[in-house]
Amino acid sequence: MTEKDKMLKGLVYNANHDEELINERIACKELCEQYNKTSYSDFDRKKELIKEIIKTAKGTFLVEQPFYCDYGYNIEIGENFYSNHNLVILDGAPVIFGDNVFIGPNCGFYTAGHAINAKERSEGLEFTKPITVGNDVWLGGNVVVMPGVTIGDSSIIGAGSVVTKDIPSGVIAVGNPCKVLREIDDEDK
């Protein structure tokens, strides 16, 4: 089994010394570099580049520059997706965004984790777990979403939150670690 196979299956793998994964990251990061250097007003070229980078990009979307990711082929964005400046997605595992997702500036979605054991960590071993963001979700600025997290439909994640565990649908959640503050009720709708 290759290191890429291991990565895609969520097994421990070595991303730092595998030529296939290194080459895939280089190719993706070069596309991201082109995207980030494209004139802001050249919407057609930016859309063309994002579609080269991201596996699935439905309908209307806008990814503000700069944008960074590792592979791109593990990212799916739904209809009416918007991310503000400086979105970072470490997509060793799938990162799936539903429809009508809005992401504030300086947000990160990190599927990669590293060994607790220092020797294994220094050898470059890591694992990945997928991230799923439901429909109609809003994430404030400087939010970090960690490996294996699912955020339910219609939830709001407050600015500066570090999401380490699943967040249910229809809630406002904030903090480090991110916790449910309250449900979104009929008065909020």
Side-chain angles (χ1 to χ4, degrees):
M1 185 179 313
T2 67
E3 296 303 304
K4 181 177 179 177
D5 292 335
K6 292 177 193 175
M7 178 186 81
L8 295 174
K9 291 179 188 256
L11 303 172
V12 173
Y13 70 102
N14 192 320
N16 296 328
H17 305 306
D18 183 76
E19 191 173 330
E20 178 182 22
L21 291 175
I22 291 168
N23 289 336
E24 286 183 351
R25 284 195 307 276
I26 289 169
C28 183
K29 289 175 188 299
E30 286 179 349
L31 285 170
C32 288
E33 181 179 35
Q34 288 177 42
Y35 180 78
N36 294 332
K37 289 181 177 180
T38 300
S39 171
Y40 186 79
S41 62
D42 193 348
F43 294 104
D44 291 338
R45 178 67 178 141
K46 289 191 308 183
K47 190 170 192 173
E48 179 183 298
L49 283 166
I50 281 294
K51 286 187 171 188
E52 282 186 61
I53 297 167
I54 293 177
K55 174 185 175 181
T56 303
K58 297 179 184 171
T60 23
F61 59 86
L62 179 58
V63 178
E64 298 283 7
Q65 298 152 298
F67 164 68
Y68 306 94
C69 65
D70 281 342
Y71 301 100
Y73 54 72
N74 279 323
I75 302 170
E76 296 182 30
I77 59 175
E79 173 72 35
N80 196 31
F81 175 90
Y82 174 80
S83 72
N84 213 314
H85 302 285
N86 207 35
L87 174 63
V88 176
I89 303 175
L90 305 183
D91 63 311
V95 180
I96 300 169
F97 298 96
D99 296 336
N100 306 309
V101 171
F102 298 98
I103 300 172
N106 303 311
C107 288
F109 297 81
Y110 311 144
T111 66
H114 300 278
I116 293 172
N117 178 285
K119 183 179 182 311
E120 291 175 1
R121 191 171 55 248
S122 67
E123 291 171 1
L125 299 179
E126 60 185 59
F127 63 88
T128 62
K129 293 183 181 177
I131 294 172
T132 303
V133 177
N135 297 316
D136 304 302
V137 172
W138 172 28
L139 298 103
N142 296 300
V143 168
V144 173
V145 180
M146 301 303 289
V149 166
T150 295
I151 299 172
D153 293 344
S154 303
S155 285
I156 298 170
I157 308 297
S161 295
V162 178
V163 188
T164 60
K165 296 186 182 196
D166 290 354
I167 301 296
S169 296
V171 299
I172 298 172
V174 298
N176 181 3
C178 189
K179 295 181 180 172
V180 174
L181 180 64
R182 69 178 178 87
E183 289 186 14
I184 296 173
D185 55 35
D186 290 335
E187 291 177 17
D188 297 315
K189 295 177 183 174

